[in-house]
Amino acid sequence: MATLNLPHATARASGHDGGGMRLAFDVTTMVKPQRGGIATYGCELIRAIVRLAPEHEIVLAIRANRWKKRELIDDLMGLLPEGSRPRLLVDFFADSSIGRPDVMHAIGVRLPPRMHAARVFTLHDLNVFEFPELADPEWVKQRQARIRETAARADLVISYSEQGKQALTDLLGFPADRVRVVPCGVDTTHFRRPDPPVLETVLRRRGLLGPDGSPRPYVLLAGQLSPRKNQAGLIAAFARACAERDGGAPALPDNWLLVLPGPRDADADQLRRLAREAGLPDDRVVLPGWVPDGDLPALLSGAALYVCASLHEGFGLPVLEAQACGTPVLCSDRGALKETLGGCGVHFDPTDASGFAAALVAMARDDAMRAEFSRRGPARVLGGYSWEEVAKRTLAVHAEALEGVQH
């Protein structure tokens, strides 16, 4: 594990004369025991920058309200390459002069109001503006205000997609010439089809093998329970596909399963209730709970079909992760998802219940189509979505922002 070279809570970074930039990242949102998509983005981006450009000094900035989570901070530091020894900056909001990095990059939705640094903000999505009805009204109000405030403080904004860039301009009036599009990346050394013994072990542990030990075909959607992720829509479509008859046989054969990893126990109870109300027996729906990173590639690789049913996404990283594992993808056409899918899969309207079910059946039945997308997916991801490429393009944004504030 990389060690902290700043021993106490508040510390001042020293001068950096190695020819690179001092880059501070607000990683507060990443200090949590179970990391989602934003934390994955931050971890992988910083690790790739350390690998690609070791001449830059990395500062991990953490707001004071998370400093008490010291064991999680140590865990976060351990994600960085051994020997990189990043500095740690705490409570930079209390004293915006602390550390004086060249660039302050907000991974979450916070930037200091004043700081002697170029300020860059990664906009993950504008869900609270585009679909405010899908979240708690008070949270939507707070989040909208925070995004407006942070965008206004940024010299440059990074968007994952052209759709996100356009939405930022249309909904917030943010100047398009200050937005740079840099898609997410995928760690293809991790997200790839594992060796058969590893795959079999994970599928057996998750109850996804038949009585004879052979894998059962399953439809997969990974993620925490959310109206925006639309697990309810997928359950309804899967149930409809199972109930429909074609010449006396079910449109979706009885051996197909629906697998929904991610939701915690209370949320799993809600999903189980929705499945029963839709007419699905318990043994057709598998709810593994939170799946550790080590099992996720196997779970993706074992799926006959990955479904992204979201009503909106600012990018949709699991789509790329599934493609990297050679899993065919059926994907919603909302938000930036068409860009993310890139034609390497089939898209559908998630609000059209009958169309959703029909797309699910059509793709499940078409072995040749699924095989073609399985073949094309890994090459597509490897060719354009490495974290090294993301790091390279992000560093260019940092340099551009720094040059702008120096002139």
Side-chain angles (χ1 to χ4, degrees):
M1 175 178 292
T3 58
L4 304 181
N5 66 345
L6 295 187
H8 208 20
T10 302
R12 185 178 301 273
S14 62
H16 182 58
D17 57 4
M21 296 179 284
R22 177 182 287 121
L23 306 174
F25 296 88
D26 177 15
V27 297
T28 306
T29 190
M30 296 154 58
V31 181
K32 55 184 64 173
Q34 296 175 336
R35 300 186 180 96
I38 294 176
T40 297
Y41 163 82
C43 289
E44 295 295 345
L45 172 63
I46 295 169
R47 286 199 290 191
I49 287 175
V50 170
R51 292 193 303 267
L52 182 70
E55 69 272 17
H56 301 306
E57 180 183 353
I58 303 299
V59 178
L60 301 186
I62 300 169
R63 296 192 296 278
N65 63 342
R66 291 289 177 94
W67 178 246
K68 61 185 178 181
K69 303 288 189 180
R70 179 54 190 266
E71 73 284 357
L72 298 178
I73 294 172
D74 287 343
D75 181 48
L76 178 65
M77 298 289 283
L79 291 173
L80 295 174
E82 189 70 34
S84 59
R85 303 180 68 86
R87 294 183 179 275
L88 189 68
L89 174 63
V90 179
D91 204 13
F92 58 91
F93 275 83
D95 180 357
S96 61
S97 68
I98 288 177
R100 296 194 179 182
D102 295 312
V103 179
M104 181 73 226
H105 187 151
I107 300 298
V109 191
R110 294 294 293 273
L111 276 172
R114 295 170 302 277
M115 198 171 202
H116 299 292
R119 289 176 290 182
V120 173
F121 164 45
T122 294
L123 175 70
H124 302 285
D125 60 63
L126 287 171
N127 296 329
V128 293
F129 290 94
E130 296 178 280
F131 290 92
E133 69 276 11
L134 297 179
D136 174 74
E138 186 59 32
W139 186 84
V140 167
K141 180 180 177 181
Q142 294 174 358
R143 190 74 168 182
Q144 286 182 346
R146 183 63 52 75
I147 290 175
R148 289 185 187 277
E149 175 186 81
T150 304
R153 292 173 178 175
D155 297 296
L156 293 175
V157 171
I158 292 175
S159 170
Y160 294 149
S161 66
E162 293 291 345
Q163 184 274 336
K165 175 180 178 178
Q166 188 64 49
L168 182 59
T169 300
D170 292 345
L171 297 175
L172 275 68
F174 193 85
D177 63 359
R178 288 170 52 200
V179 184
R180 304 294 176 263
V181 176
V182 181
C184 278
V186 174
D187 179 2
T188 54
T189 65
H190 180 63
F191 285 99
R192 58 183 180 84
R193 189 173 183 84
D195 294 334
V198 175
L199 180 60
E200 181 181 348
T201 297
V202 173
L203 296 184
R204 177 175 288 107
R205 185 163 61 239
R206 300 296 173 181
L208 297 174
L209 297 181
D212 62 353
S214 62
R216 293 187 63 178
Y218 60 90
V219 173
L220 178 71
L221 186 160
Q224 295 184 30
L225 179 62
S226 161
R228 180 173 60 83
K229 297 292 185 184
N230 196 27
Q231 285 98 338
L234 175 55
I235 288 173
F238 187 84
R240 185 167 183 161
C242 291
E244 288 181 349
R245 296 280 161 173
D246 183 4
L252 200 63
D254 291 338
N255 64 330
W256 279 65
L257 303 174
L258 177 60
V259 181
L260 301 172
R264 294 165 177 82
D265 291 345
D267 294 332
D269 290 342
Q270 180 180 340
L271 290 174
R272 184 71 69 189
R273 183 169 60 254
L274 287 172
R276 288 169 179 165
E277 290 171 356
L280 285 173
D282 286 354
D283 62 1
R284 295 293 297 273
V285 181
V286 179
L287 303 172
W290 186 267
V291 174
D293 288 346
D295 281 4
L296 192 53
L299 202 60
L300 285 166
S301 299
L305 188 59
Y306 185 85
V307 177
C308 176
S310 297
L311 300 177
H312 185 271
E313 289 288 351
F315 187 72
L317 185 57
V319 169
L320 283 186
E321 292 171 344
Q323 289 179 344
C325 291
T327 302
V329 178
L330 178 64
C331 187
S332 163
D333 62 1
R334 298 307 171 91
L337 286 169
K338 280 189 176 181
E339 287 180 58
T340 306
L341 187 66
C344 190
V346 174
H347 60 75
F348 66 96
D349 179 353
T351 64
D352 177 0
S354 62
F356 188 172
L360 184 60
V361 170
M363 201 162 180
R365 285 179 165 182
D366 196 331
D367 295 342
M369 179 192 295
R370 296 201 318 276
E372 175 64 13
F373 289 136
S374 294
R375 183 188 66 80
R376 289 168 49 192
R380 174 177 184 258
V381 175
L382 190 63
Y385 293 93
S386 71
W387 280 110
E388 282 70 22
E389 180 64 21
V390 175
K392 179 181 177 180
R393 294 173 65 174
T394 302
L395 286 170
V397 176
H398 292 160
E400 182 185 359
L402 180 58
E403 182 178 3
V405 300
Q406 290 176 337
H407 291 87

